Amino acid sequence: MQLKSRHLLGLEGMTAEEINLILDTAASLKPILDRPIPKVPTLRGKTVANLFYEPSTRTRFSFELAEKRLSADSVSFSQSGSSVSKGETLKDTVRNLQAMKIDTVVIRHGASGAPHFLAGCLDASVVNAGDGTHEHPTQALLDMMTLREKLGKIKGLKVAIVGDILHSRVARSNIHGLSAAGASVGLCGPATLMPVGVSDLPVRLYRNLGEALEDADVFIVLRIQMERQKRGMFPSLREYRSLFGMTVERLEPLKKEITILHPGPINRGVEIDDAVADGRHSVILDQVTNGVAVRMAVLYLLSGGRGKIEMEDHGQA
Amino acid sequence: MARPDFKPVRAEAVCLTGARLLDPASKLDASADLLVAEGRIAKIGAAAGEGFEGLRIDGAGLTVVPGFVDLHAHLREPGREDEETIRSGAEAAAAGGFTEIACMPNTNPPVDDRPSVEFVRGRAAGLLTDVHPIAAITKGQRGEELVEMADCAEAGAVAFSDDGRPVEKASVLRRAVEYAGMTGRPVISHSEDLSLSDGGVMHEGVRSTRLGLRGIPSISEEIAVDRDIRIAEYVRGRIHIAHVSTAGSVRLIREAKARGVAVTAETCPHYLTLTDEAVQGYDPNAKMNPPLRTAEDRAALWEGLKDGTIDAVSTDHAPHSAEEKDVEFDAAPFGVIGLETAVGLLLTHGVHKRRLTLRELVLVFSVLPRRILGLPEARIREGADANLTFLRPDAAWTVNRDGFFSRSRNTPFHGWALKGAAAGVLRGDQFYLAP
Amino acid sequence: MDGQGIARTLKRLTHEILERNAGCEGLVLVGIRNRGDVLARRILKAMASIESREVPYGVLDITLYRDDFQRLADSPVIGETDIPIDITDRKVVLVDDVLFTGRTIRAAMDALMDFGRPSSIQLAVLIDRGHRELPIHADFVGQTVSTSKSDGVQVRLEETDGEDSVVLVVS
């Protein structure tokens, strides 16, 4: 079994089988991280470029670590330290990468569809590390891996995504990925941060957080960005917290086990309380570890499959 | 950009033989010879060419109609001559079947006074296709002070428009409609509420949600169309709504016309043939403003065109260089070119799909745009100015952007198979007939 | 070779391993997936009936250490690797079904080294079919079979394939 595309641009359109392949591979790779020498030679000779046009520490570190664990050579640049600030267009960057014979490009970009643009003009495989408000497939995959680890399966889970759905690429990737994997997804957030036409997606809409808490087993809590308030999308952080904050007071009375995920970075005390983020429901740190494993799996699966030799049972015996 | 050489033929007299001549206004639909001499139609009839010794055009397979007008094109001169010049735009127009085009003033600098109007007229002098300048509504298209409308009109401006952006202040548009009334020239409104568009790049709906692209809601256009109609109604002035894209706008215009408001409207071939589905894959050539809408909107536009709510089809020809356009979707400028595909698209998706008759095609491309801009009628009758569009209504062809006379290549229609093509034009003592 | 043949051969291999190492003190058996791990478990069982103490056992999947990853048409499925104890300063006996080019063993040794520094690595195989491409030899060989390079040697085992047999497929 193989992924259908040689790029990972998003989870929309991906099948349950493909998602499971990635998650299974990630699970097989994860133990490497605990070995005395946490590194395998698999991608020796492969070169990965990490293009981060938006500031991101965690995702970039996670990808870089995944590349190093697989022995790929990697080069990274982020906006401030590269020629992007000198007015170089994405296309110029692409041409340079092409000339440098890069095998895989990991890209984080503020414009939705930027990875698709690269995929259209590069020979390399392109991995979307977050594009605008479109998708962030590896984040959703690591969320799914974490859920599968903790709860045994994804199928049948009721997952609520809480917060700024409109601007969230994490939400979009999770909607596609989780529903493909058989979970039911519900959305909960201020009406102004709920995208138009969202009811045509495979989701249910919760009227308020109370309803979501009653119904769902899993909560993906999204980061609320301060600048949205400045643009008039909601009146105040105070009111946001009172309506959509995952607070101790809200969770205390719950009689059931729930699982809380957050893609980070967290605005503690706004969308989620400290005690909740660090509490027993939270799997936020597992998400971080699994992030490396999932990215290793993606790189592994996209890096093979360029040769012509068909696998036999004992290809090398 | 490499483009073919445009070689119009200049001839004192020419005889067109064996073509179908179609002019609904003159109640003419016949196969006959047509003799042009000294820029006028000298003779029409079965034996019109008898004894004629000059240049003959074999018109077999051609349908000859009154000259088509594009009342909304962007030529990039002055400012971005690499993307289009007045000459290259005029040549593309001739190849696309237009004998006359009106060009929008959002050049750099903009056309907003007599010298700039005269500049355009000067550049266009002697070209096969007439190029009529449209002057800005406000100085510098800044939406504040009116241009010297009377002076511009006298210099040859056929209309006023700040197209590319709306006149944001209702009070300014009100004054513009009132004042333009004195010149007899229409105000062409780019109807958009910028606060609702809010940086959007495509139609707001489930597709923009899926693609993660910021949406431009239908109401961004409709609220502005409503406002602009009310202004015209209130001051009893005339207004023309540019590039209508939504079903709601069609409804508003239909209602206004029923009330007797002096409103006219145009839509463009891309709104009639594409939907926001074309944005899937983030193709920057599917990015225009207003954006491609839904299938329901598209159906309403055809309906509006059929029942006369929408008077004309314009191209909104908007050339952009590959460097500008071949970038990530958010960063790409709005607009597509259309002069060389408009007629073919309308023949294929209008006439051949029985949404419009050939007579109605003549209405939306010739009769009504002329009326809107106050241009003289084009008629096929003896004594009339020679102003003819050549069509090959049944010719099968494939759109190839590399063969365009336009300097730009930003079309979403590259590779489309069409049935029916513009074959050229004849205007005065010049003609161009596609090989 | 049939089921009885395989059983006899494994029994002999078990004895040879114990003899060479003077018992099972400090031994670790590591089977290479797939089938090497099955054989290792059988040897382990045989050892248990001879020696009273339990020998530690691990499974190695060499996919991530293959030297032909770039040339494959597919990214192969990664099997589980489980080395439950620290192999440093222990005598590791690698077990595989067929020894051919030697590349699998090279990969297995590299993988082992990432888990620790064994005092020695020995190799036990059911079948040695020749055609080595690397300077590798087995310490314990069940049977040497002469083959041509394009032939196939199919080892089938009860646990994985429903029967015990070794078949030479001549191309």
Side-chain angles (χ1 to χ4, degrees), chain A residues 30-40 69, chain C residues 65 81 83-88 111-117:
Chain A
K30 190 178 176 185
I32 293 171
L33 304 174
D34 292 324
R35 288 189 195 170
I37 299 174
K39 194 177 175 80
V40 290
R69 296 302 186 228
Chain C
Y65 292 81
T81 290
I83 310 288
I85 63 155
D86 184 2
I87 58 170
T88 299
L112 274 181
M113 296 300 187
D114 284 351
F115 284 89
R117 186 180 181 282

Side-chain angles (χ1 to χ4, degrees), chain B residues 182-266:
Chain B
M182 299 193 305
T183 68
R185 308 285 179 205
V187 166
I188 300 179
S189 172
H190 171 119
S191 300
E192 180 183 10
D193 184 318
L194 290 178
S195 74
L196 283 167
S197 296
D198 195 22
V201 294
M202 71 173 290
H203 174 65
E204 182 173 79
V206 66
R207 205 168 291 279
S208 65
T209 293
R210 280 176 184 277
L211 291 170
L213 292 172
R214 193 175 277 198
I216 301 175
S218 299
I219 54 168
S220 158
E221 173 174 316
E222 290 156 7
I223 284 173
V225 166
D226 193 32
R227 181 198 80 165
D228 298 349
I229 287 173
R230 281 162 187 272
I231 288 171
E233 186 171 19
Y234 181 72
V235 304
R236 294 169 196 277
R238 239 180 103 196
I239 197 147
H240 176 76
I241 310 292
H243 43 55
V244 170
S245 75
T246 78
S249 298
V250 174
R251 203 162 49 238
L252 287 165
I253 295 162
R254 186 178 289 131
E255 288 163 6
K257 283 189 165 182
R259 291 199 303 275
V261 183
V263 57
T264 52
E266 72 192 34

Side-chain angles (χ1 to χ4, degrees), chain A residues 66-261:
Chain A
E67 289 147 16
K68 291 183 195 326
R69 296 302 186 228
L70 289 171
S71 300
D73 293 317
S74 67
V75 288
S76 298
F77 64 75
S78 42
Q79 187 154 30
S80 53
S82 76
S83 47
V84 180
S85 44
K86 293 177 213 148
E88 186 179 321
T89 66
L90 197 49
K91 188 143 200 177
D92 287 328
T93 310
V94 163
R95 293 211 176 92
N96 289 327
L97 289 172
Q98 192 84 313
M100 290 175 200
K101 306 211 187 315
I102 302 287
D103 299 293
T104 305
V105 175
V106 175
I107 178 171
R108 154 76 55 102
H109 200 284
S112 299
H116 303 67
F117 177 78
L118 285 199
C121 48
L122 270 182
D123 292 333
S125 287
V126 176
V127 179
N128 182 357
D131 64 325
T133 55
H134 176 231
E135 284 220 43
H136 191 354
T138 56
Q139 176 69 43
L141 288 165
L142 73 88
D143 291 346
M144 286 191 273
M145 180 180 181
T146 307
L147 289 176
R148 213 172 69 159
E149 260 182 16
K150 167 137 196 249
L151 304 170
K153 61 180 171 57
I154 294 168
K155 205 179 165 114
L157 288 180
K158 286 183 173 179
V159 183
I161 306 178
V162 183
D164 179 0
I165 311 293
L166 179 62
H167 299 98
S168 176
R169 49 195 175 210
V170 176
R172 281 171 182 73
S173 285
N174 266 309
I175 289 170
H176 299 307
L178 284 167
S179 37
S184 66
V185 180
L187 306 178
C188 178
T192 44
L193 294 174
M194 203 55 79
V196 166
V198 77
S199 52
D200 290 349
L201 298 177
V203 294
R204 66 166 288 187
L205 299 178
Y206 294 115
R207 273 167 303 180
N208 51 51
L209 186 56
E211 191 180 73
L213 283 168
E214 215 154 273
D215 185 63
D217 327 300
V218 175
F219 294 83
I220 298 176
V221 183
L222 301 174
R223 176 182 167 78
I224 185 81
Q225 289 186 345
M226 313 294 173
E227 54 145 323
R228 307 290 177 219
Q229 189 233 322
K230 292 192 196 103
R231 290 193 65 236
M233 308 300 272
F234 62 96
S236 70
L237 290 177
R238 176 175 165 273
E239 182 149 311
Y240 183 87
R241 180 183 141 86
S242 79
L243 291 178
F244 300 102
M246 294 292 270
T247 59
V248 176
E249 298 78 49
R250 277 182 187 280
L251 300 189
E252 203 107 89
L254 283 186
K255 296 203 170 54
K256 60 179 178 184
E257 274 303 307
I258 60 165
T259 304
I260 296 175
L261 296 89

Side-chain angles (χ1 to χ4, degrees), chain C:
Chain C
M1 196 186 283
D2 59 9
Q4 281 195 340
I6 292 176
R8 268 198 304 276
T9 308
L10 287 179
K11 200 167 173 189
R12 175 167 58 77
L13 286 176
T14 308
H15 280 286
E16 284 178 20
I17 292 168
L18 289 173
E19 191 179 343
R20 172 86 59 91
N21 293 288
C24 61
E25 180 68 38
L27 276 191
V28 181
L29 247 57
V30 174
I32 300 173
R33 292 172 68 101
N34 293 324
R35 299 193 184 79
D37 53 336
V38 175
L39 294 174
R41 277 202 302 276
R42 292 195 189 176
I43 292 172
L44 208 63
K45 214 169 152 192
M47 278 184 180
S49 66
I50 300 166
E51 303 276 320
S52 53
R53 78 169 69 207
E54 195 117 313
V55 175
Y57 155 78
V59 185
L60 201 59
D61 181 280
I62 56 100
T63 305
L64 296 169
Y65 292 81
R66 297 175 70 111
D67 62 7
D68 59 349
F69 180 74
Q70 321 281 343
R71 303 166 63 202
L72 297 176
D74 254 15
S75 292
V77 173
I78 304 163
E80 192 197 359
T81 290
D82 181 22
I83 310 288
I85 63 155
D86 184 2
I87 58 170
T88 299
D89 294 334
R90 291 194 179 245
K91 294 180 276 188
V92 174
V93 179
L94 272 176
V95 182
D96 203 1
D97 54 350
V98 180
L99 177 58
F100 182 25
T101 62
R103 290 179 190 271
T104 298
I105 306 305
R106 192 283 308 160
M109 289 194 290
D110 280 354
L112 274 181
M113 296 300 187
D114 284 351
F115 284 89
R117 186 180 181 282
S119 59
S120 68
I121 299 177
Q122 300 161 31
L123 175 62
V125 296
L126 185 64
I127 306 291
D128 179 354
R129 58 166 294 192
H131 303 290
R132 217 76 75 234
E133 291 170 3
L134 298 175
I136 280 170
H137 78 100
D139 301 273
F140 313 102
V141 178
Q143 190 175 342
T144 303
V145 181
S146 75
T147 62
S148 95
K149 195 157 183 183
S150 54
D151 294 343
V153 175
Q154 275 188 3
V155 174
R156 299 168 62 81
L157 298 173
E158 190 76 44
E159 294 89 327
T160 49
D161 313 290
E163 62 161 2
D164 276 3
S165 69
V166 179
V167 181
L168 176 68
V169 184
V170 180
S171 65

Side-chain angles (χ1 to χ4, degrees), chain B residues 244-304:
Chain B
V244 170
S245 75
T246 78
S249 298
V250 174
R251 203 162 49 238
L252 287 165
I253 295 162
R254 186 178 289 131
E255 288 163 6
K257 283 189 165 182
R259 291 199 303 275
V261 183
V263 57
T264 52
E266 72 192 34
T267 188
C268 313
H270 36 278
Y271 303 119
L272 292 166
T273 53
L274 293 169
T275 65
D276 61 349
E277 204 181 324
V279 181
Q280 193 77 35
Y282 301 95
D283 179 6
N285 285 328
K287 180 174 175 180
M288 56 284 271
N289 188 20
L292 297 171
R293 305 286 186 182
T294 66
E296 292 78 60
D297 293 302
R298 183 173 59 179
L301 292 172
W302 279 114
E303 206 180 302

